[in-house]
């Protein structure tokens, strides 16, 4: 933008003579051109000073007209103008212009110094990343054979199957996956010969409809619960992955004097142990060995699946 064109644009902008499109374009340029902003402010100071002078002159003229209207036409001499006020206003205008010019040119002179300061700050920032990789590479150098032997015992201690909480969570998820893949709730039928037939039927219906929580509650409310009902209770807990409660129910059956039913629930007792991650206990291994030693055992097929899943998991 040429100086003359810039001057005309600034004047038109301050006098609100630009069209809406021209005003938007000019304000857009103001947002990016610092020098143009300073020029506009300088023009604005000049406008304010001129408006102040014009207002003062108008006030003096109006006062003079009032004085002339009140005094006699023949007796009143022509009043002389007070030039001291005009002199004061001129000095004020020159002072404002001097201040605006000083601000304009002082910013231009200080720009190179600011640029030098910015450059001096950025130089060490660029050098720092160059030295860091060399230090990291030196620190991460391959250990010698002696260092590896010295570190071997520590490594051995920290890599056990339950050394870290994250590893425990992973193992728990693996055991749950085995239970989910191997276990399916078997169909069961309660004997309806004794007890409250209506309640027994409610227990049976809730178990069949997989409402295991309701079935558990109703079973626990019964007195002198039978071993068959206890088996149903164990399966309801196992279906909800409540392994501790399931194992307790099946343990009661294993301790009772009913070998046939005990053989049926052995696999489910072992499955509850798997759900708890208790596969290294001696009692677990003993029961597994006893079942796998007899291919005619009622729990042989299911226990075989459990052991196969555990071997794949390892």
């Amino acid at each position: 933008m040429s100086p003359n064109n810039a001057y005309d644009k600034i004047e038109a902008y301050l006098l609100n003579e630009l069209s809406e499109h021209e005003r938007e374009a000019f304000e857009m340029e103001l947002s990016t051109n610092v020098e143009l902003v300073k020029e506009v402010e300088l023009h604005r100071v000049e406008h304010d000073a001129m408006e102040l002078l014009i207002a003062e002159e108008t006030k003096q003229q109006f006062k003079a007209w009032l004085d002339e209207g009140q005094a006699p036409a023949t007796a009143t001499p022509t009043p002389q103008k007070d030039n001291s006020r005009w002199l004061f206003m001129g000095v004020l205008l020159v002072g404002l212009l001097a201040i605006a010019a000083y601000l304009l040119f002082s910013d231009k002179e200080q720009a190179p110094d600011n640029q030098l300061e910015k450059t001096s700050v950025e130089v060490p920032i660029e050098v720092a990343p160059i030295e860091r990789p060399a230090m990291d590479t030196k620190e991460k150098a391959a250990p010698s054979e002696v260092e590896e032997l010295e570190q071997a015992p520590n490594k051995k201690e920290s890599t056990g199957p339950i050394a870290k909480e994250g590893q425990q969570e992973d193992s728990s998820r693996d055991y749950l996956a085995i239970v989910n893949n191997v276990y399916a709730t078997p169909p069961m039928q309660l004997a309806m010969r004794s007890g409250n037939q209506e309640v027994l039927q409610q227990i049976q219906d809730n178990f069949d409809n997989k409402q295991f929580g309701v079935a558990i509650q109703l079973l626990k409310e019964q007195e002198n619960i039978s071993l068959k009902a206890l088996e149903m209770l164990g399966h309801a807990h196992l279906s909800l992955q409540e392994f501790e409660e399931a194992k307790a129910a099946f343990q009661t059956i294993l301790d009772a004097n009913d070998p046939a039913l005990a053989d049926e629930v052995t696999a489910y007792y072992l499955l509850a142990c798997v759900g708890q991650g208790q596969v290294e206990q001696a009692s677990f291994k003993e029961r597994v060995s006893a079942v796998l030693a007899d291919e005619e055992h009622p729990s042989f097929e299911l226990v075989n699946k459990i052991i196969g899943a555990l071997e794949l998991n390892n």
Side-chain angles (χ1 to χ4, degrees):
M1 185 182 293
S2 64
N4 292 334
N5 190 20
Y7 181 87
D8 294 338
K9 280 279 188 181
I10 294 172
E11 289 296 315
Y13 175 73
L14 293 176
L15 295 175
N16 201 20
E17 295 177 353
L18 295 176
S19 64
E20 183 178 354
H21 177 72
E22 291 175 336
R23 186 178 185 85
E24 290 178 356
F26 187 77
E27 290 178 347
M28 181 66 70
E29 187 174 358
L30 280 175
S31 64
T32 58
N33 191 337
V34 178
E35 298 298 329
L36 183 59
V37 171
K38 294 178 180 179
E39 292 291 338
V40 170
E41 292 302 320
L42 185 59
H43 278 248
R44 197 187 302 276
V45 171
E46 293 176 356
H47 274 255
D48 293 342
M50 290 301 297
E51 289 177 359
L52 182 61
L53 290 174
I54 293 172
E56 185 63 27
E57 183 180 4
T58 303
K59 179 179 178 182
Q60 293 298 326
Q61 290 179 354
F62 184 72
K63 183 178 180 182
W65 291 338
L66 290 176
D67 293 342
E68 290 175 359
Q70 293 175 358
T74 57
T76 305
T78 303
Q80 296 182 355
K81 295 183 179 180
D82 187 4
N83 293 329
S84 61
R85 186 181 298 275
W86 291 103
L87 179 61
F88 171 74
M89 298 304 297
V91 172
L92 177 61
L93 176 61
V94 172
L96 292 173
L97 293 176
I99 292 173
Y102 172 76
L103 294 175
L104 178 64
F105 290 104
S106 63
D107 289 343
K108 291 182 180 180
E109 292 176 356
Q110 292 176 0
D113 296 338
N114 294 336
Q115 186 64 30
L116 288 174
E117 292 176 1
K118 183 178 179 181
T119 304
S120 64
V121 174
E122 290 178 352
V123 169
I125 296 176
E126 294 178 356
V127 174
I130 298 175
E131 298 178 357
R132 188 177 297 277
M135 294 174 64
D136 293 344
T137 303
K138 184 177 180 180
E139 291 174 358
K140 295 181 179 180
S144 63
E145 294 182 0
V146 176
E147 292 174 347
E148 289 181 352
L149 291 174
E150 291 176 352
Q151 295 174 0
N154 296 329
K155 292 182 179 179
K156 184 176 181 181
E157 291 176 1
S158 63
T159 56
I162 55 174
K164 296 182 179 180
E165 183 178 353
Q167 292 175 341
Q168 290 178 339
E169 293 177 356
D170 292 341
S171 299
S172 299
R173 285 195 292 269
D174 293 339
Y175 290 134
L176 288 177
I178 292 174
V179 174
N180 292 332
N181 291 332
V182 174
Y183 178 72
T185 307
M188 296 198 65
Q189 187 68 40
L190 281 178
M192 300 294 181
R193 299 174 184 174
S194 61
N196 189 325
Q197 298 300 310
E198 183 178 355
V199 174
L200 293 176
Q201 188 62 51
Q202 289 178 2
I203 296 173
Q204 185 68 57
D205 293 341
N206 280 287
F207 186 87
D208 294 341
N209 294 325
K210 300 186 184 304
Q211 301 296 323
F212 300 117
V214 180
I216 290 171
Q217 185 63 34
L218 293 172
L219 283 167
K220 287 183 176 181
E221 293 174 356
Q222 306 306 306
E223 296 181 359
N224 300 322
I225 186 171
S226 66
L227 291 179
K228 200 64 178 176
L230 196 59
E231 182 185 8
M232 178 179 281
L233 179 63
H235 281 292
H237 282 301
L238 190 56
S239 299
L240 296 177
Q241 295 186 349
E242 296 172 349
F243 301 117
E244 184 64 32
E245 293 82 354
K247 192 170 71 170
F250 293 135
Q251 182 67 60
T252 302
I253 297 174
L254 292 173
D255 294 339
N257 188 20
D258 192 338
L261 188 57
D263 289 343
E264 290 181 10
V265 302
T266 297
Y268 300 113
Y269 171 84
L270 296 175
L271 199 56
C273 294
V274 172
Q276 291 185 302
Q278 299 173 348
V279 297
E280 298 296 331
Q281 293 183 356
S283 59
F284 177 86
K285 294 180 178 180
E286 290 174 1
R287 291 185 184 277
V288 168
S289 299
V291 172
L292 296 181
D294 182 8
E295 295 184 1
E296 301 297 327
H297 196 286
S299 294
F300 178 85
E301 183 177 354
L302 184 55
V303 172
N304 199 33
K305 287 183 179 180
I306 295 172
I307 299 305
L310 289 172
E311 291 176 351
L312 290 175
N313 183 51
N314 294 330

